[in-house]
């Protein structure tokens, strides 16, 4: 087994791992990023696409926002649609001018990979049999196989940025982490279609047949979602059925028409809320989906991953600069404040907009009342808006 050495070993080249590696490099801190999948795969994995104001600022200030600023679609508002009518929430008016930017997660990932490779960063794609060792020691290690050879990477600290199904969280000894979880009795069937968006902003739609979301990735690509069963069979959803169902749910009394086009991506996104506490054990720090999952209704997963590694990057920079450990010790508590705020917001949006099993008429009336309140009270709309664009400090 060949031995190697770096300062920060990062498992996972999703948004969390890549942003962390980039922020560390700006501070002169070396890292190696190990990714199970190929570069091609991670650069084309269609997932999130709504960037909070603070995420955009961070990427811009870190020098990886050039294409994002050129191609990203800045949105000042969103629509809540229910009872056959749309109601606009003017995000920027309610939040001192803050906005969201629509820019695909895979584009963020492409920009970060290009920036790391241009700067001579060490990214290893298709690393297999990745495992972490010696977490309690001063030289924890990541063992993995790359290019047919087994390797032992000694680090000062390890960042577990390997998503919900990664290996880092499970490497923490039993009894250290407490897990908090909620499963939802539905999922999202999502499509990406080659057609111009049918509205300029996102539409979150409450409907008796279930939730629907109209979103977009570019002026030529529309992203649409339908609430479906958690075990939904994609084969039962030929393209025509998807378009019909979307049109039915998104219909308005004034004749909204949804444009359709070739579907280039189709998938089921499960809905889950999940948090482990703390986000750290000895020299292993968890960040992003490795530590927490939110249902996508609040558009927060990617933003939360970036918020974690911003905190971790600053803490590691302070430690390497002066040996100060305060920020590292506070890492978990600092992140968890935002994590729980975002958990609540994502749960609240999910609760307000989805059809729940059993069709409880009491529940449905509460949802309608909540929607009417959010769209008629400036105070209630502000609560939605400031969480949606992202709270600056939590
Ligand atoms: C299917 C799906 C659809 C989603 N859709 C939306 C959406 O529509 N809207 C929204 O707001 N959010 C969505 N999200 C959430 C959002 O994409 C995530 O919150 C975000 O990707 C988190 O970034 P991350 O870097 O923490 O984790 P990830 O992006 O999951 O990155 C983790 C990386 O680690 C790698 N990895 C895993 N195991 C190992 C291992 N053993 N060794 C090495 N590497 C490993 C993975 O291949 C991956 O590249 C979706 C998530 C999923 C899973």
């Amino acid at each position: 087994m060949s031995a190697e050495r770096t300062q920060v070993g990062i498992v996972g080249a999703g948004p969390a791992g890549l942003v962390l590696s980039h922020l560390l490099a700006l501070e002169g801190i070396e890292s190696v990023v190990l990714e199970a999948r190929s570069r091609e795969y991670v650069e084309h994995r269609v997932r999130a696409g709504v960037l909070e104001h603070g995420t955009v600022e961070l990427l811009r200030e870190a020098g990886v926002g050039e294409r994002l600023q050129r191609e990203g679609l800045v949105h000042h508002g969103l629509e809540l649609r229910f009872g056959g009518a749309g109601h606009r929430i003017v995000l920027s008016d309610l939040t001192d001018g803050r906005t969201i930017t629509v820019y695909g997660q895979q584009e963020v990932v492409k920009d970060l990979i290009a920036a790391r490779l241009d700067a001579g960063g060490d990214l290893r794609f298709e690393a297999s049999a990745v495992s972490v060792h010696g977490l309690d020691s001063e030289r924890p290690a990541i063992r993995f196989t790359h290019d047919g050879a087994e390797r032992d990477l000694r680090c000062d600290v390890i960042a577990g940025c390997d998503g919900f199904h990664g290996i880092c969280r499970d490497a923490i000894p039993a009894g250290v982490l407490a897990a908090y979880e909620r499963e939802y009795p539905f999922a999202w069937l999502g499509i990406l279609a080659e057609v111009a968006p049918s509205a300029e902003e996102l539409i979150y739609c409450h409907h008796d047949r279930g939730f629907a979301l109209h979103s977009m990735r570019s002026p030529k690509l529309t992203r649409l979602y339908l609430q479906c069963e958690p075990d939904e069979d994609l084969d039962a959803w030929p393209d025509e059925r998807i378009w019909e169902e979307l049109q039915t749910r998104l219909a308005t009394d004034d004749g909204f028409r949804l444009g359709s086009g070739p579907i280039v991506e189709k998938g089921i996104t499960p809905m889950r809320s999940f948090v482990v506490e703390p986000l750290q054990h000895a020299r292993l720090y968890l960040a992003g989906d490795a530590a927490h999952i939110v249902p996508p209704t609040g558009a927060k997963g990617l933003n939360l991953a970036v918020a974690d590694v911003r905190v971790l990057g600053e803490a590691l920079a302070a430690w390497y600069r002066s040996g100060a450990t305060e920020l590292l010790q506070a890492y978990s508590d600092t992140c968890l404040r935002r994590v729980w705020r975002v958990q609540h917001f994502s749960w609240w949006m999910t609760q307000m907009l989805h059809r729940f099993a059993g069709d409880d008429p009491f529940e449905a009336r509460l949802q309608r009342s909540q929607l009417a309140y959010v769209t008629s009270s400036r105070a209630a709309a502000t609560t939605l808006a400031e969480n949606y664009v992202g709270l600056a400090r939590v």
Side-chain angles (χ1 to χ4, degrees):
M1 191 181 297
S2 62
E4 300 180 34
R5 167 92 185 94
T6 191
Q7 290 179 293
V8 181
I10 301 175
V11 186
L18 291 168
V19 171
L20 179 62
S21 175
H22 184 76
L23 294 178
L24 292 175
L26 295 179
E27 295 286 343
I29 301 165
E30 198 184 87
S31 66
V32 175
V33 181
L34 304 172
E35 167 58 48
R37 303 287 194 159
S38 67
R39 177 178 178 183
E40 167 80 8
Y41 184 90
V42 297
E43 287 190 341
H44 292 92
R45 189 164 43 191
V46 176
R47 286 187 173 174
V50 173
L51 305 187
E52 287 179 359
H53 196 86
T55 304
V56 172
E57 298 241 291
L58 178 138
L59 295 172
R60 201 169 46 77
E61 284 164 13
V64 281
E66 193 263 325
R67 194 164 68 94
L68 157 64
Q69 279 197 291
R70 201 163 13 97
E71 297 178 16
L73 310 171
V74 176
H75 286 197
H76 291 262
L78 60 77
E79 182 180 322
L80 290 179
R81 187 172 286 187
F82 55 98
H87 307 262
R88 185 162 187 251
I89 303 281
V90 192
L91 299 169
S92 51
D93 281 3
L94 297 165
T95 60
D96 294 330
R98 291 161 76 87
T99 55
I100 52 148
T101 300
V102 171
Y103 188 66
Q105 176 169 328
Q106 72 277 22
E107 306 305 327
V108 176
V109 164
K110 273 182 210 157
D111 295 346
L112 287 162
I113 290 175
R116 288 307 298 124
L117 294 178
D118 280 354
D122 193 344
L123 309 182
R124 317 262 180 105
F125 294 97
E126 299 179 72
S128 60
V130 179
S131 58
V132 294
H133 305 268
L135 300 179
D136 287 313
S137 74
E138 292 203 345
R139 285 283 175 277
I142 309 178
R143 296 203 188 121
F144 60 101
T145 302
H146 191 245
D147 280 343
E150 280 184 48
R151 292 161 205 269
D152 183 75
L153 177 67
R154 296 277 152 172
C155 322
D156 297 331
V157 296
I158 296 175
C161 302
D162 50 348
F164 186 67
H165 299 288
I167 50 99
C168 288
R169 191 177 63 248
D170 289 345
I172 294 175
V176 172
L177 300 180
Y180 302 87
E181 192 163 12
R182 173 141 316 172
E183 294 269 348
Y184 297 88
F186 39 74
W188 282 9
L189 192 166
I191 61 163
L192 189 67
E194 283 176 341
V195 58
S198 304
E200 284 182 9
E201 295 178 339
L202 274 77
I203 304 169
Y204 284 80
C205 180
H206 176 275
H207 192 276
D208 293 345
R209 294 174 64 88
F211 170 74
L213 173 61
H214 167 278
S215 180
M216 63 291 290
R217 289 294 178 266
S218 75
K220 292 179 182 164
L221 278 177
T222 305
R223 182 91 165 129
L224 294 144
Y225 298 94
L226 284 170
Q227 176 184 347
C228 64
E229 297 300 319
D231 56 354
E232 195 76 51
D233 177 12
L234 261 187
D235 292 340
W237 286 88
D239 295 2
E240 314 76 67
R241 183 177 171 207
I242 294 176
W243 289 117
E244 253 173 54
E245 189 63 30
L246 283 165
Q247 177 61 51
T248 303
R249 294 191 196 180
L250 287 163
T252 57
D253 295 342
D254 58 6
F256 173 81
R257 288 303 307 167
L258 180 68
S260 62
I263 295 178
V264 291
E265 232 273 337
K266 208 190 268 190
I268 306 275
T269 304
M271 305 282 281
R272 181 187 288 122
S273 301
F274 176 82
V275 183
V276 288
E277 295 183 0
L279 271 57
Q280 176 227 348
H281 171 66
R283 293 211 171 203
L284 172 63
Y285 294 83
L286 300 175
D289 278 18
H292 41 69
I293 296 283
V294 281
T297 329
K300 290 289 173 226
L302 183 161
N303 295 295
L304 204 48
V306 172
D308 283 353
V309 295
R310 162 186 260 164
V311 176
L312 185 55
E314 286 171 1
L316 287 168
W319 183 53
Y320 277 112
R321 243 189 332 261
S322 67
T325 56
E326 287 81 3
L327 294 180
L328 274 179
Q329 280 167 4
Y331 169 70
S332 182
D333 287 347
T334 306
C335 290
L336 284 169
R337 281 197 293 276
R338 178 177 292 273
V339 167
W340 280 110
R341 173 87 302 279
V342 163
Q343 284 291 353
H344 178 267
F345 177 67
S346 304
W347 166 86
W348 177 75
M349 288 282 281
T350 303
Q351 196 80 9
M352 178 168 71
L353 288 161
H354 289 75
R355 174 182 162 182
F356 280 78
D359 288 332
D360 179 355
F362 185 80
E363 188 76 37
R365 276 163 178 73
L366 289 180
Q367 288 179 324
R368 286 293 179 88
S369 169
Q370 180 70 36
L371 284 161
Y373 180 50
V374 169
T375 51
S376 61
S377 153
R378 187 175 174 91
T382 303
T383 292
L384 188 153
E386 67 180 9
N387 280 278
Y388 198 80
V389 301
L391 291 157
R393 289 277 161 209
V394 180

